[in-house]
């Protein structure tokens, strides 16, 4: 019986990430904020990591990161590795050290988004040697972080309700 509930949860998480990827990649569906579009997959993958064990969290982080890489069209595996490691660490901390509430989710999302997006900026702009790297950071990447953080409560409460609903009675 436990395997059935686990399969339903994992299928729903995969479907959630795919739907968020389609919403994220559809032009004009979400209005841009200061010229930036949100990264919907990162808050969802991190919310999943707060409610699952380490291995499934890492798998969904890698899956979400690969979806981001497909959408960007560059360096396949970059976001997969970063998001997989972030989800594994968050899941390990959530099991013993962190409380799973909205404040913790917001702080974890802030830290992970800043780290992942700044590494993306570093590798895709600074190391390539483009001019006006600070302009891209201030007017493209920082608004992207802020816009993605706005969606943290939605992904947290959705995944929390889903994790609580589809659990076997203990």
């Amino acid at each position: 019986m436990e395997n059935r509930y686990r399969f339903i949860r994992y299928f729903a998480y995969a479907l959630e990430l795919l739907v968020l990827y389609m919403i994220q990649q559809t032009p004009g569906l979400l209005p841009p904020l200061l010229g930036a579009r949100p990264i919907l997959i990162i808050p969802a993958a991190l919310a999943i990591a707060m409610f699952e064990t380490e291995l499934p969290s890492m798998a969904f982080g890698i899956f979400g990161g690969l979806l981001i890489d497909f959408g960007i069209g560059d360096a396949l595996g970059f976001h997969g590795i970063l998001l997989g490691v972030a989800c594994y660490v968050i899941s390990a901390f959530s099991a013993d050290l962190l409380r799973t509430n909205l404040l913790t989710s917001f702080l974890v999302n802030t830290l992970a988004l800043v780290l992942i997006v700044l590494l993306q900026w570093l590798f895709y702009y600074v190391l390539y040697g483009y001019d006006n790297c600070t302009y891209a950071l201030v007017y493209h990447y920082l608004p992207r972080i802020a816009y993605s953080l706005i969606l943290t409560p939605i992904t947290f409460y959705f995944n929390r309700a889903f994790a609580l609903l589809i659990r076997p009675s203990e």
Side-chain angles (χ1 to χ4, degrees):
M1 198 66 164
E2 169 68 27
N3 287 336
R4 180 184 303 166
Y5 289 115
R6 186 178 303 140
F7 175 77
I8 292 171
R9 274 197 330 268
Y10 293 171
F11 179 75
Y13 291 148
L15 191 63
E16 173 190 7
L17 290 176
L18 286 172
V19 167
L20 289 176
Y21 172 74
M22 288 187 285
I23 291 171
Q24 176 179 313
Q25 292 303 115
T26 304
L29 189 59
L30 292 174
L33 177 70
L34 300 173
R37 294 174 49 201
I39 307 169
L40 301 174
I41 295 172
I42 294 177
L46 297 176
I48 291 169
M50 292 187 82
F51 298 107
E52 290 295 330
T53 58
E54 291 89 356
L55 190 61
S57 297
M58 183 177 63
F60 284 113
I62 291 170
F63 177 63
L66 289 176
L67 288 175
I68 294 170
D69 289 335
F70 286 138
I72 290 175
D74 195 29
L76 187 63
F78 178 77
H79 291 93
I81 292 170
L82 291 177
L83 201 53
V85 169
C87 286
Y88 182 87
V89 169
I90 289 166
S91 178
F93 283 167
S94 293
D96 296 325
L97 299 174
L98 298 176
R99 288 188 170 185
T100 54
N101 57 24
L102 182 60
L103 177 63
T104 306
S105 177
F106 189 76
L107 293 174
V108 163
N109 274 318
T110 302
L111 181 66
L113 272 165
V114 166
L115 183 67
I116 290 171
V117 172
L118 285 182
L119 284 172
Q120 180 185 12
W121 171 74
L122 179 71
F123 281 104
Y124 292 158
Y125 271 89
V126 175
L127 294 180
Y128 272 111
Y130 288 122
D131 293 334
N132 298 327
C133 292
T134 54
Y135 179 84
L137 175 68
V138 171
Y139 292 105
H140 180 67
Y141 286 100
L142 293 180
R144 190 172 218 190
I145 292 169
Y147 199 1
S148 300
L149 281 174
I150 292 171
L151 302 169
T152 297
I154 297 168
T155 59
F156 174 76
Y157 284 121
F158 178 78
N159 286 303
R160 184 178 129 203
F162 195 72
L164 293 176
L165 284 177
I166 304 182
R167 292 268 184 205
S169 59
E170 299 174 321

